[in-house]
Amino acid sequence: MWCYRGGSISTEPRINDRIRVPEVRLVGPSGEQVGIVPLAKALELAQEYDLDLVEVAASARPPVCKLMDYGKFKYESAMKAREARKNQAHTVIKEMKLRPKIDPHDYDTKKGHVVRFLKQGDKVKITIMFRGREQSRPELGYRLLQRLASDVEDLGFIESNPKQDGRNMIMVLGPHKKKTEAMAEAREAQAARKAERQGVAVTDDEAPSQETAEVGEPAEDAVTEVEVTEAVADEAPAQEPNTEA
């Protein structure tokens, strides 16, 4: 009975002696078309150029192979994929919950979070939660949502107007700034802070060396003072012994 053991399927292209076809369509190192050549001839050219023979189109007939530095190709491909992931922007929806009769201090705190989310290029879902008799006064939630949208209008806009959803009222704010722009600005700000910290560190390292140099060198004023003291001592008349005793 046949049984599949579930081995992993390699996605790496075949190179050099792993290529098992009688002939290939060969592409040179600079992209020039060499033509259909026997596999042995292609491997000989790869050895002559000190490069690898890489199968770039296995489904073609005959397969297309190219002469290249495969190690360098893999490194450059990995770096490109890493850069693409770094610059990839994922839109995130943050949620902020408020009460209709929110305290002014709590409102400022919540608004600060909304400002931070919008600056990061994220959408914000604002939810007003009604309890008990508050459900009979939806205008309180509507006015609160309008107030919040007005306070952050320089950073975001109303993407979804306030609407009642059971005991809650929901509004969605969208950022004016794209996620990619926000990420780029954040990286620039981080680089600037890092450069500033390094500059402060260099200044702090240089300061002790200057102080050491000043302490290590002889002070001319001190030497002059010593010389003057000795001269005064030489010029002072000798005191007569006390003979009253």
Side-chain angles (χ1 to χ4, degrees), residues 95-238:
E95 184 174 12
M96 188 62 55
K97 296 182 178 181
L98 294 81
R99 295 291 308 280
K101 298 179 181 180
I102 188 171
D103 181 80
H105 177 72
D106 292 339
Y107 173 80
D108 292 337
T109 302
K110 300 281 187 178
K111 184 181 71 174
H113 292 312
V114 174
V115 168
R116 177 165 55 88
F117 295 148
L118 292 175
K119 283 184 177 180
Q120 294 173 352
D122 296 324
K123 296 181 181 181
V124 186
K125 176 183 176 182
I126 312 297
T127 302
I128 304 294
M129 300 180 297
F130 296 96
R131 293 181 182 176
R133 296 180 180 180
E134 293 176 347
Q135 299 181 52
S136 63
R137 302 195 60 187
E139 67 276 5
L140 295 177
Y142 182 82
R143 285 201 296 265
L144 182 59
L145 291 176
Q146 291 295 325
R147 174 189 172 189
L148 180 59
S150 177
D151 289 344
V152 298
E153 61 182 357
D154 56 333
L155 297 173
F157 61 96
I158 300 178
E159 186 174 285
S160 177
N161 290 317
K163 61 180 180 180
Q164 193 78 22
D165 183 14
R167 294 185 177 183
N168 300 328
M169 182 175 288
I170 299 172
M171 178 183 71
V172 178
L173 296 175
H176 291 310
K177 189 179 301 181
K178 294 182 179 179
K179 185 72 173 180
T180 52
E181 296 177 0
M183 292 172 60
E185 290 183 2
R187 286 196 295 268
E188 291 177 1
Q190 183 179 4
R193 288 194 298 269
K194 183 178 180 181
E196 184 178 355
R197 287 196 301 269
Q198 290 177 348
V200 172
V202 170
T203 303
D204 293 342
D205 291 341
E206 290 177 352
S209 62
Q210 294 176 358
E211 294 176 0
T212 304
E214 293 175 359
V215 173
E217 295 177 356
E220 295 181 358
D221 295 340
V223 174
T224 304
E225 185 178 353
V226 172
E227 293 175 353
V228 171
T229 304
E230 292 177 352
V232 171
D234 292 341
E235 293 177 359

Side-chain angles (χ1 to χ4, degrees), residues 53-125:
L53 182 67
V54 182
E55 189 177 55
V56 295
S59 60
R61 292 292 178 268
V64 180
C65 296
K66 184 177 181 180
L67 298 175
M68 67 173 73
D69 186 341
Y70 186 60
K72 181 180 178 181
F73 171 76
K74 284 187 66 177
Y75 174 78
E76 292 177 349
S77 299
M79 293 301 294
K80 289 179 181 178
R82 180 181 177 183
E83 191 67 21
R85 288 194 301 269
K86 183 179 179 181
N87 295 327
Q88 190 174 7
H90 297 282
T91 302
V92 179
I93 299 180
K94 305 288 187 177
E95 184 174 12
M96 188 62 55
K97 296 182 178 181
L98 294 81
R99 295 291 308 280
K101 298 179 181 180
I102 188 171
D103 181 80
H105 177 72
D106 292 339
Y107 173 80
D108 292 337
T109 302
K110 300 281 187 178
K111 184 181 71 174
H113 292 312
V114 174
V115 168
R116 177 165 55 88
F117 295 148
L118 292 175
K119 283 184 177 180
Q120 294 173 352
D122 296 324
K123 296 181 181 181
V124 186
K125 176 183 176 182

